[in-house]
Amino acid sequence: MAITSANQLELLQTAEAVAREKMIDPGLVVEAMEESLARAAKSRYGAEMDIRVHIDRKTGRAQFTRVRTVVEEEELENYQAEMTVDQAKQYMADPAIGDTFVEEVPPVEMGRIAAQSAKQVILQKVREAERDRQYEEFKDRAGTIINGQVKREEYGNVIVDVGRGEAILRRNEKIGRESYRPNDRIRCYIKDVRREVRGPQIFLSRTDPQFMAELFKMEVPEIYDGIIEIKAVARDPGSRAKIAVISYDGSIDPVGACVGMRGSRVQAVVNELQGEKIDIIPWNEDIPTFLVNALQPAEVSKVVFDEDAERIEVVVPDEQLSLAIGRRGQNVRLASQLTGLDIDIMTEEEESARRQKEFEERTKLFMDALDLDEFFAQLLVAEGFTNLEEVAYVEQDELLVIDGVDADTALELQTRARENLEAQARKALETARELGAEDSLIDFEGLTPQMVEALAKDGVKTLEDFATCADWELAGGWTTDNGERVKDDGLLEPFDMSLEEAQTLVMTARVLLGWVDPSELDPKVDEDEAAEDDTDATEETGA
């Protein structure tokens, strides 16, 4: 076809119609038409030429132009789209590098193939514009609930019509054995919106814990208004869930508000979640108290919290053990997810047996190491002493409170403890040297002879070897494997080394070896040290 006055306005009318149908900017459609016409003109005049087309937004007239850019002589590559300063002088008065010379060229006759190609360009551009519109519309709605209509099911995945686009509810994001038919209404949580090659992909979920949180926000006005906050959610989709809530208004009970009159509010959420049983728990800043609430309906006798290891031990009466663990470990697993801690549950009988075993082991340690009789060793354990270091380096006053211990006895106890520790250190050092540990590692400040021995047994024999270790390799840690938390034992974990201490030691070793520039370390640490120095200097001056 030829671009004549007869069909110039038709271009604009077509652009308007397509834009209305796809709900995109008409200007984008016109730009697509300009690009398609330019491509057709290049096939007529030559692909090397820089042909551009401009369609007047009012009249629809298409203007074809050829553009040539002025470049330096040595950079001239494309003679059809570029020219030197000397060549440009015949067209321009005072040409300079980067100037462009534009001349109009006759419109082209579009044959069948060119017209088909132009159509493809327009469709492609329209599709891209439509995808951009969909992405911009839905990207800010991630984390919210949307109502949609089921279009079809493909291999267990549900394709949902969400108005101006399609979304996918994957098989593993459905609750239990949910099945849907075309045109069924469905309510889902928008888990993620990603820009893909084929267009924006909207991923839905009905198993995500936040889906339940958003449902409560819709049913409980106090949550929507911010009076009540959902602090944590844990779900076993389709079976059971726990939700922790806190009220910022002393007159409003957070649990009661979420349950509603005769359970109306929580029942609406339960119905949407296919009968999932929901435990609503009051949140508490005190972690042991919060855990006791989270393990409901089981009763808890005692809680021991290890803050460094993020582990917690829970002691329950013998008859409450199965209730605390729950069917297939469900109750304790959900409580663990809710608190973010690893929970060990034991009965009172098991805890008593463990404490008795620890008591006997510590008693034997003091009997053997300090050459004490059983009664005296038991007195030390009963006072809370757990190892030789505590006996050797504790303030003497703490030993004097034990019945029958005077100053001379306390001094003798500490002397024996220190001599034993020194003997252990000498033996560990000898073993480490036999294993090949070098002085660079042995003399490194922060490592005891026992630590050096443990490292040498694992092949870490030089300061260079130590500097290549990761902090978790030394202090231990936890990794997640197929959804299960797995313990990684650290080389120095038996010596109660924390992750922060391991990190500091490794970085110090790297600085000593010249692998790391001290100035590149955390500036906050330097600032803190500088502040301490200033404080010390001030105190000295004041003194």
Side-chain angles (χ1 to χ4, degrees), residues 272-331:
E272 180 62 46
L273 299 178
Q274 307 293 323
E276 196 169 305
K277 295 180 179 64
I278 301 173
D279 296 332
I280 303 172
I281 295 156
W283 190 79
N284 197 302
E285 284 186 4
D286 183 55
I287 291 176
T289 305
F290 179 37
L291 182 65
V292 170
N293 296 337
L295 281 170
Q296 292 176 0
E299 296 175 7
V300 176
S301 306
K302 181 180 174 184
V303 173
V304 181
F305 178 39
D306 185 347
E307 197 166 357
D308 291 334
E310 294 190 346
R311 291 183 67 79
I312 202 157
E313 288 181 355
V314 177
V315 181
V316 297
D318 294 10
E319 68 276 5
Q320 292 280 314
L321 181 63
S322 59
L323 190 62
I325 294 173
R327 188 178 61 183
R328 297 175 185 169
Q330 185 184 65
N331 194 52

Side-chain angles (χ1 to χ4, degrees), residues 65-260:
T65 55
R66 177 190 179 186
V67 179
R68 281 188 284 180
T69 307
V70 180
V71 298
E72 291 186 13
E73 192 167 346
E74 56 270 18
E75 293 180 4
L76 183 65
E77 292 180 357
N78 183 355
Y79 293 92
Q80 300 291 345
E82 297 170 344
M83 56 183 172
T84 64
V85 174
D86 290 337
Q87 292 171 340
K89 285 178 179 176
Q90 56 184 309
Y91 306 106
M92 306 163 70
D94 187 19
I97 303 298
D99 287 350
T100 55
F101 175 67
V102 181
E103 59 180 334
E104 192 168 346
V105 295
V108 297
E109 293 272 342
M110 292 183 71
R112 184 179 61 82
I113 295 174
Q116 190 68 22
S117 174
K119 182 181 177 184
Q120 290 297 325
V121 172
I122 293 171
L123 289 174
Q124 179 67 24
K125 282 286 184 182
V126 168
R127 274 196 294 267
E128 286 175 6
E130 194 176 10
R131 288 169 189 161
D132 288 341
R133 178 194 57 75
Q134 285 183 16
Y135 177 74
E136 291 298 323
E137 182 177 342
F138 285 100
K139 70 173 182 179
D140 296 328
R141 296 183 64 181
T144 62
I145 287 178
I146 193 168
N147 293 307
Q149 191 172 26
V150 175
K151 291 189 77 173
R152 63 189 180 277
E153 195 163 351
E154 297 175 351
Y155 307 106
N157 302 323
V158 180
I159 309 301
V160 181
D161 183 353
V162 288
R164 295 186 177 182
E166 286 185 357
I168 183 169
L169 176 65
R170 285 177 171 165
R171 182 171 45 191
N172 61 335
E173 298 288 350
K174 294 192 291 186
I175 298 174
R177 293 190 177 88
E178 283 182 331
S179 61
Y180 297 96
R181 297 173 183 168
N183 299 322
D184 281 355
R185 301 297 301 174
I186 187 171
R187 183 185 285 181
C188 297
Y189 176 76
I190 302 179
K191 191 172 184 178
D192 194 14
V193 181
R194 295 202 294 264
R195 196 193 291 269
E196 302 280 345
V197 177
R198 296 180 303 165
Q201 292 288 300
I202 304 163
F203 296 96
L204 306 178
S205 176
R206 285 176 56 80
T207 61
D208 194 285
Q210 290 306 312
F211 178 47
M212 187 174 77
E214 288 296 315
L215 287 172
F216 268 105
K217 191 182 290 185
M218 293 171 69
E219 295 294 336
V220 183
E222 291 87 346
I223 295 177
Y224 183 82
D225 293 337
I227 300 169
I228 293 173
E229 183 185 355
I230 297 171
K231 298 292 283 187
V233 185
R235 284 183 69 193
D236 195 347
S239 176
R240 195 174 197 89
K242 290 180 185 285
I243 181 169
V245 290
I246 185 173
S247 173
Y248 296 113
D249 186 335
S251 63
I252 295 177
D253 172 27
V255 176
C258 292
V259 171

Side-chain angles (χ1 to χ4, degrees), residues 349-411:
E349 185 180 336
E350 289 171 340
E351 199 242 354
S352 176
R354 192 193 68 175
R355 288 176 62 189
Q356 182 61 34
K357 184 182 177 186
E358 286 178 356
F359 189 87
E360 291 171 358
E361 287 174 351
R362 289 169 184 170
T363 300
K364 189 174 186 309
L365 169 68
F366 291 140
M367 287 171 64
D368 295 343
L370 303 178
D371 193 21
L372 302 175
D373 60 32
E374 186 177 8
F375 176 74
F376 206 110
Q378 286 177 346
L379 279 176
L380 279 176
V381 178
E383 279 297 326
F385 290 96
T386 61
N387 55 52
L388 291 176
E389 283 83 357
E390 290 178 2
V391 177
Y393 302 112
V394 77
E395 291 292 331
Q396 207 173 82
D397 292 345
E398 294 190 34
L399 289 170
L400 294 174
V401 298
I402 302 173
D403 289 339
V405 176
D406 56 20
D408 292 339
T409 309
L411 182 61

Side-chain angles (χ1 to χ4, degrees), residues 333-345:
R333 186 171 66 251
L334 290 175
S336 179
Q337 290 175 19
L338 202 67
T339 57
L341 298 166
D342 290 303
I343 302 172
D344 289 334
I345 292 187

